[in-house]
Amino acid sequence: MTRVAAIDCGTNSIRLLIADLDPETGSITDLDRRMIINRLGQGVDSTGRLHPEALERTFAACREYAALIAEHGVGPDRIRMVATSASRDAENAAEFTDGVREILGVTPSVVSGDEEARLSFTGATKELTAGPHKPPYLVFDLGGGSTEFVLGAEDVQAARSVDIGCVRLTERHFAGAGLPTQAQIAAAQADVLAALDEAAKTVPLDAEATLVGLAGTVTTVAGIVLDLPEYRSERIHHARLTVEQVRETTARLLSSTHDERAAIPVMHPGRVDVIAAGALVLLEIMERTGALELLVSEHDILDGIAWSIA
C-alpha cells in the first residue's frame, strides 16, 4: 500500500484526500477526505487577478491540510497539489504558488485543461470497468471556472476544457441577491451553448457512452433529487439522475431565493449563491449529449491526483 496526500484547488473549493492505494488491485482506501469553500476564483473572470482575501482563505485551508498530512505521516514525496482554472487565468498566480510552497513544502502543479480532464477521467472511471457501467465513458467535471469533457474507455480518446463553471457564470450573469431574470438566464445559456460548441470540436458530445458527472454542482443536484435530509456521500455516489429530474431541479433553483436555496438540507453554504448557474450548465450538458440518464460520481480529479502520485 502507498499512502498519499492529494489536494485539488479549484475556483470554488479546495479539497484534500489522504488515502492508501494498492496499485496492484486498483483499490483506494480513504483515510481523510474533506473540502473547504475558499472561492479562489473570486473576481478572476473580470480582473484577471487572484484577490488578496481569496489567497488568504486558500492559505488558511492549506495550513489546516498541512497539519492533517503531517498527522498521517505522509512524506513530501507523496504529496501533490493540483491547481486548476482560476490559477491558470490569474496574472498574479506566482503569489499563490509561492504561498502554497511555503506552507506545504511542495510546489502546486498549475495544470492545463487537458491534464485536468485526464486526471478527472482516471479518478471517475478506475472503479467502473469492473461493474455494470460499461465503457466508453463520457466524463464531465463541472467546476467553478471551467468544465472538462473526456471521452474514453481504458484510455482517454479525446479531452477538452472550456471556460464555463458555476462561479464564472454567476459572476457574469447572476450577480446580486435577486432572482435571475429571463434575459440573464438566456445570456448564461448562450455562454454555455457556445462553450459546448467549442468542446464538441474535440470531444464528440453525442457519442454513445455512459455519461458520468463529477464535482460539487452535480453531487448537490443529486442530493436534492434524492431528497436527502443531509449530505450523504454513500447515497450520492453512483446515483442515477434522469434528464427530467435535472430539468425540474434546475427550474426550482433558478426560481428560488437565496434563503430558499440555503434551506435545502444538502446545500453547502459555499454553494448557495452559485448552484443555480451550475445546475443550468448541468442541464445544458445533458440536453446537448442527448443522454436520458446521468451517473453521478463522488470520485473525481482528487482520486486521479492520488493515482498520479502512485
Side-chain angles (χ1 to χ4, degrees):
M1 298 289 268
T2 302
R3 181 162 298 183
V4 301
I7 301 173
D8 166 37
C9 186
T11 300
N12 195 46
S13 65
I14 180 169
R15 300 181 301 142
L16 169 70
L17 171 62
I18 301 173
D20 286 335
L21 309 182
D22 186 340
E24 289 188 10
T25 65
S27 67
I28 183 167
T29 303
D30 291 10
L31 302 175
D32 200 325
R33 187 187 290 258
R34 62 182 65 198
M35 174 190 72
I36 296 172
I37 299 290
N38 60 326
R39 194 65 61 83
L40 180 61
Q42 174 188 341
V44 169
D45 187 59
S46 58
T47 68
R49 295 181 61 82
L50 297 169
H51 195 283
E53 292 177 3
L55 284 168
E56 184 46 48
R57 289 192 299 268
T58 303
F59 296 153
C62 286
R63 285 188 282 270
E64 180 179 326
Y65 288 172
L68 291 165
I69 291 168
E71 194 177 301
H72 284 281
V74 184
D77 60 331
R78 288 290 179 264
I79 302 170
R80 186 183 185 195
M81 178 173 177
V82 163
T84 53
S85 176
S87 307
R88 285 196 298 266
D89 297 345
E91 296 173 2
N92 59 334
E95 293 179 42
F96 163 77
T97 302
D98 293 345
V100 169
R101 187 188 303 113
E102 183 176 339
I103 296 166
L104 291 171
V106 297
T107 301
S109 304
V110 182
V111 297
S112 68
D114 282 351
E115 175 63 12
E116 184 178 356
R118 292 172 194 279
L119 289 169
S120 295
F121 184 82
T122 299
T125 64
K126 198 167 184 71
E127 65 183 334
L128 290 181
T129 53
H133 311 292
K134 299 304 179 186
Y137 306 108
L138 177 56
V139 176
F140 66 93
D141 186 340
L142 201 174
S146 64
T147 297
E148 286 67 49
F149 295 89
V150 196
L151 178 69
E154 292 184 4
D155 298 311
V156 170
Q157 298 168 8
R160 184 69 180 269
S161 177
V162 291
D163 286 341
I164 48 169
C166 59
V167 174
R168 193 184 295 271
L169 279 186
T170 298
E171 290 185 350
R172 280 185 186 175
H173 302 292
F174 296 165
L179 294 178
T181 65
Q182 287 304 310
Q184 289 172 322
I185 293 171
Q189 284 176 315
D191 270 6
V192 177
L193 293 175
L196 293 178
D197 286 342
E198 283 301 309
K201 293 177 181 177
T202 306
V203 181
L205 299 182
D206 57 353
E208 288 285 335
T210 300
L211 185 65
V212 184
L214 318 180
T217 289
V218 178
T219 57
T220 300
V221 169
I224 296 171
V225 169
L226 295 171
D227 197 23
L228 298 180
E230 60 187 7
Y231 195 94
R232 294 179 179 171
S233 296
E234 74 280 0
R235 290 283 308 279
I236 291 170
H237 187 48
H238 290 175
R240 299 185 184 195
L241 307 183
T242 67
V243 66
E244 188 54 42
Q245 288 171 325
V246 172
R247 190 178 292 120
E248 290 173 0
T249 302
T250 301
R252 172 187 171 185
L253 292 169
L254 286 169
S255 61
S256 297
T257 65
H258 183 278
D259 289 346
E260 288 169 339
R261 294 192 302 273
I264 297 172
V266 298
M267 188 71 66
H268 189 289
R271 296 203 186 281
V272 175
D273 60 333
V274 297
I275 188 62
L280 182 63
V281 177
L282 172 57
L283 177 60
E284 294 299 335
I285 290 171
M286 291 195 73
E287 298 276 15
R288 178 59 174 269
T289 62
L292 301 178
E293 189 175 78
L294 165 70
L295 180 67
V296 178
S297 177
E298 284 271 359
H299 292 180
D300 51 27
I301 187 173
L302 196 55
D303 302 76
I305 296 167
W307 284 112
S308 75
I309 302 168

